Amino acid sequence: MNVARQASKRPVAVFMLLLAIAALGVIALRRLHLELIPNLEYPYAAVFATYMGAGTEEVEQLVTEPLERIIATVPGVKRFTSVSQPGFSFILIEYAWGVDVLSASSRLERYLSLAQANLPEQVKPSVVEFDPSLLPVFVFSTEQDVESFVDQIKRLPDVAGVEVLGKASKRVVVRLDPEKVEQLGLDLSLMEMFLSGNAIYPMGQVKDENGNVYPITVDARFRNLEELRNAIVGFRGLTYQTAMSGQLPKLLVPIRLGQVASIEVVEEEVRGVVRVNGHSTNVVAVRKRSGANTVESVRQIKNLLKQLKVSYTPLIDQSLYTQRAVNNLLKNLLLGLLCASIVVAIFVPNIFNTLIVSLSIPVSLIIAIVLMYFFKLNFDLLTLGGLTMAVGMLVDNAIVVFENIFRHKSEGQDYLEAASRGTKEVFGAIFASTATTVIVFVPLLFTESFAATMFKYFAATLSLALGASLAVAGVLVPAGSKWIMSRKIEAYEKFRITYKNSLERLLDRKVVVLPLVLVILLFSVFVLMNRPRSFTPKFESNTLSIVVKMNEQAGYEKTSQVVSELEKFILERKEKFNVQHVYCEVGITSELSQIVGGASEDKGTIYVWFGGKRTEYVENKKALLSELQKFQIQGATLSVGESDFMSELFGYPLTIVLRGKDIDLLLKEAERLSDALKQKGIGQVAVRGKATLQTMMVDIDRTKAIFSGLLPGQLLMEFQRRTVGQAIGIVSTEEGSLPVFLKVSSLGTVEDVGGVVFKNMRNQQIPLDVIANVEKRQTLTSISHMNGERVVYVDVTESQFSVSKLTRIAEETINDLKLKVDHEFSGQKNSMDTLFSEFRTIIIIAAILVYMFLAAQFESLVVPFIIFMSVPIALVALTLTMLIFNYELNLPVLVGSLTLVGTVVNNAIVMVSFVLQRRREAKEVSFRTIITESASLRLRPILMTSLTTILALLPVALSRAEGSELESPIAWTIILGLSITTLFTLYVVPMLLELLLKRSTRA
C-alpha cells in the first residue's frame, strides 16, 4: 500500500490523527518529571562506623583495616577508598557501572556481618547506598519556631526527610552527685549492673497444643522518667566484692537513682554554628524521596510555607537552576522553530507551503514526547538538549519530501501523483539519512562510564525525535500536497544556474581541488592531535564558596569569631556586588555535614549567592574574588573557589595519589611534590591528610593498675562517665523516646584530666598519675587508604591549564624529583582517560556502522565510500571550531563530533541517490551532464536542510545562560561541521562521483 497516496487522499483523517497525537502529547507532558540531570543509579555505596574515643591510628587498625579486608573479597567491587579519623571510619565503595546497586549493597552487608567478630564490641558498621536524593533539594533559613511546621513538611508526599542544621538533639542525662554517692555508700560498679538490661529483647518462640507459634519478647525497659528516678541502683553497705562473695547486709536499705543523681532532659551541645547574613538563625534542609520530581517537590514545600505564613529566606533551591536551564533550552527550542520556518519561507515564499513544512517540527516533537513517556524518560538538561539539537534536523526529511512533491507539481502532475511519486523517490534517501544519524549512537548502549551513560539520554531523545520526523515526512507532507503551491522563483533559479556553472568549472580542476582538500584534512588532524584535552568545560554558577581553616586545636567558638570578620567584610559589599545571601557554617552542624562535607571545629565555610543574570553575576563574582585575594586573617588560611558541581562529581582537575606503608615518608614526599608544583605556577595545590592534632593521651600501665586494686575496664568506664557519658538505653518522655546517658562530672580542662581520682577494691583513693602516664601527643587528623593501601593525595584544586597539560607538567615534575614512593593519577584525569578511550572506540565503530549501512542500502562498496568521505571532512570543521572558540577537546565537543558522524552524510546521501536515479533514467546523457543537472536540482533541499539545522542551533550556540557550557560547544561543532560538509557535498562529492563512477555501468 502506498501510504503517501493514501495520506494525500485523506487529509481529514491525517488531521484527526494529529489531534489524537496532540492529546496524547498533553497527557505525557503533564506526567514527565522536570530534573536537572537524569535519574541514574549511581554505582557507589558507603560504609561508616563510629568508635567513640579512639584516635586516628586506632580507628585505622581496629576498624578500617578489618572492614577493608572483607570488602576486598566482595564480588562486583571495582575499588574502594577510606578515611580514618578520630572516632570515625568512612569507606567509599565504587562498583562497575551497570551493577545492580541494591543487590550489591545487600551482598556487602552480608559480608560485613562476617567482619563483626574482628571489630571492637561497640563498633557497628552501616552501609548506605549513594543516592542524589540524600542531598537537600531545598534549604532555607527562618527566624520562626521550626517545630511549628517541620512535621508538616515531613508529611508532604515527595519529602523523604527534614533536617534542622545547628539544632541540638535532646537526651536524658543522669548526673551523679559524688558527695551523695559517697554518703549513701553506693558502689558505682554495682550500680551499673542494676541499671543494665534497659531494652526489649526477642527470645525465640514457643508453640501451643494446636501448633500455633508465639514469639517471646522480654521487655525490661524503663517506662518513663519517674520509673527511672525510682529505680533501685544498690543497697547501703553493699559493694561489688561483698555481692560477689554472697555476703549481704542484714538489713537491705535500697538506694534509688533519684537519691544520688539529678535526672533531666537536656539539649546536646552542638559543636558548630549556622548564620545567614551575619545573624544566627534556623536553617532547614529538605530532602526529596528517590525518584520524586525535584521541581514539584520544591513547589510543594514553598506552597506549604506560604499557607502557614512562614517567613523564610531560600538558600539552596535545586529547582531554580533546573527551571532556568530548562526554560533556556525551551526558549532556544522555540527560536530554533522560528528560524527553521524562516528558512522554509525564504526558499518557498508561500504561507501554505511554509506551514505544511514547519508543522513537521512541532508534530515530531509531540510524538517524541509521547515516546519519551513510554520509554520512561524525563525532561532534563540532556533530554531537552537532544530535542533542541534535533529541532533543525526535524524539518530535513519534510523538506526533502516537500521539495520533490513541489518539483513534480511544477512539472504539471496532479497532487495525488506528485505526492505518490515524490515521496517514493526520496523516501529511501531520507530513511538512510535518518538511520545514519541514529545508528552512530548505537555503540553508546555498550558503554558503562558515567559520561557515556549520561549522554545515552541525549542520544535517546534525539533518535526518538528524528524517528518521529521520518514518519511525519511520509504522512503529513503528502497529506498537505493538495495545498502545495508550485511556482518557479526567479531569484533561486538564477542562483541555481550560477551554482551549476561553478560546479562545471571545478569539475575540470579536480586535480587541484582534491589534493588541496587532502592537505587541509591532514593539517586538521595534526592540529587536533596537539589540542589540549580536558574532561568537561568549566561551569559557571551564581555561588562562591570560601573555606576558612584554623589550626587543628581551635574550637568552633574561636573559629566562629574569625569567620565572622570575613562575613562582615562581604556583607559590607553586599549592594556593590549584588550579593543576595551570605550563608555561614562553622564546625559540626549535623552528622551528614561531618560524613559528606568533612566538617570539623577548626573549619568554617561561607557560601555567597549572587543575584542578577548570568553575565552580571559572573562579573560580580570575579570582582569580589579579586578583593578577597587581599583579605588576610591572622592565624587562618583562606581558600576561595567557585562552587563547581563537576568537581564534586568527578574530583579535582588532577589528583596525584602517593602510595606506601610509611605515612611519614608519604607526607614528606607529598610536601616535596606540592612545593615543586607550586613553583611551576600551575594553580592551587593542596595536600590532603597532612593535618595533625594534639591529643591528651592517657597511657594506662595495666600492671600498676591491677596491683593498685583497679581493673583497666573499670578505668575506661570511669573515664566514659566523666566525658561522653555511659549509654544505658532509652526511656519514654513527653518529648518522645530519648537516649539515656549516665555522667559523673565533666572533664572541662586539661588540668582536670590529671586530677582524676579512682576508688579501688579496698575503698582507697588512687590518683591517675600513679597508674597512668598523661601527656599531649601529636597525631594525624586523618589517614586515607585506596584499595587497602595507605595513600596521601596531592590535589590541584584550581588551574588555568587543561587537564592534559597539568598531567604533563606533573609527570615531568615527578621524574625530576625521583619520588621514593609509588604514585598514580586520579581525579578528572581518570574520567578524561576513560572518556577518550570510550569515545575513540565509539566514533570508530559508529563510522564503520554508517559505512556498512550505506553499503547495504546502495548494494555497493564504492558509492558508500563517496558518501562516507563527508565524515573525515568533519574533522576540518572540528578543528576550526576549536581554534575559533578556543575549545579544549572535551566531552561536549566529542558528543558534537559523534552527532556529526551521522549527520554530515545526509546531504551526500540525498545528492548521490538522486544522481544514481537520474543516471538509470537517462542512459543516453553524459555522466558529467547528469551530475551537474542532478546536483543543481538537489541544491534547494540541501541548502534548506543545512540552513534550518544551522539557524535552529544558533540560539543554543549563542546562549550564555545556565547550562550553555554543555550545549553551546555541541551546537557550534554541529553548525561549523554542517557548513563545511555542505560545501564539500555541493562541490567535492560530484568530483568523487565523476572520478570513481564515470566508467562504472553499475550503480
Side-chain angles (χ1 to χ4, degrees), residues 609-778:
W609 281 275
F610 296 86
K613 294 183 178 180
R614 186 175 184 270
T615 51
E616 183 184 347
Y617 68 63
V618 168
E619 290 301 319
N620 284 330
K621 191 162 57 171
K622 287 180 181 176
L624 180 58
L625 271 171
S626 64
E627 291 204 16
L628 284 171
Q629 302 299 331
K630 306 168 189 175
F631 187 83
Q632 298 292 328
I633 301 178
Q634 191 172 1
T637 57
L638 209 67
S639 301
V640 183
E642 302 181 48
S643 294
D644 184 355
F645 75 89
M646 296 310 294
S647 294
E648 295 170 10
L649 279 175
F650 303 106
Y652 296 114
L654 180 65
T655 294
I656 305 160
V657 184
L658 305 184
R659 306 191 309 269
K661 293 182 180 179
D662 189 339
I663 193 68
D664 294 325
L665 178 61
L666 285 173
L667 289 169
K668 181 181 176 181
E669 294 297 280
E671 284 295 337
R672 284 179 62 211
L673 178 58
S674 174
D675 292 341
L677 290 174
K678 287 176 182 176
Q679 288 175 5
K680 295 195 174 183
I682 66 169
Q684 295 184 15
V685 184
V687 177
R688 261 189 284 167
K690 69 175 182 178
T692 58
L693 180 70
Q694 277 195 325
T695 59
M696 293 295 297
M697 181 62 69
V698 180
D699 190 2
I700 298 173
D701 188 321
R702 297 178 67 88
T703 303
K704 286 183 179 180
I706 292 171
F707 275 106
S708 299
L710 291 166
L711 296 174
Q714 178 187 354
L715 299 175
L716 294 175
M717 195 67 68
E718 185 67 28
F719 261 106
Q720 189 179 28
R721 294 194 195 110
R722 292 171 181 266
T723 53
V724 295
Q726 180 186 353
I728 55 174
I730 60 173
V731 66
S732 296
T733 70
E734 294 179 354
E735 301 184 47
S737 295
L738 299 178
V740 184
F741 288 86
L742 181 66
K743 301 190 78 172
V744 179
S745 60
S746 298
L747 299 178
T749 65
V750 173
E751 291 75 18
D752 290 342
V753 178
V756 175
V757 177
F758 300 95
K759 185 183 289 186
N760 67 3
M761 298 177 184
R762 294 185 291 274
N763 211 26
Q764 296 172 325
Q765 300 287 339
I766 307 296
L768 178 63
D769 56 8
V770 173
I771 56 172
N773 181 33
V774 182
E775 61 179 2
K776 292 179 181 178
R777 187 176 297 178
Q778 200 85 2

Side-chain angles (χ1 to χ4, degrees), residues 466-478:
L466 291 177
S469 75
L470 182 65
V472 168
V475 176
L476 176 62
V477 177

Side-chain angles (χ1 to χ4, degrees), residues 151-161 287-293 296-297 300-301 304:
D151 288 339
Q152 295 187 57
I153 294 178
K154 288 179 181 177
R155 287 195 289 269
L156 289 173
D158 289 342
V159 171
R287 292 178 288 109
K288 67 164 189 168
R289 62 177 176 81
S290 183
N293 188 337
E296 181 59 29
S297 300
Q300 290 174 9
I301 299 164
L304 177 63

Side-chain angles (χ1 to χ4, degrees), residues 457-468:
Y457 293 84
F458 173 92
T461 49
L462 179 63
S463 302
L464 291 175
L466 291 177

Side-chain angles (χ1 to χ4, degrees), residues 8 166 190 221 317 328 386 389 460 477 617 656 754 756 828 851 877 913:
S8 61
L190 199 60
R221 294 175 296 177
D317 185 350
N328 177 58
M389 295 298 163
V477 177
Y617 68 63
I656 305 160
V756 175
Q828 291 183 29
Y851 179 82
S913 60

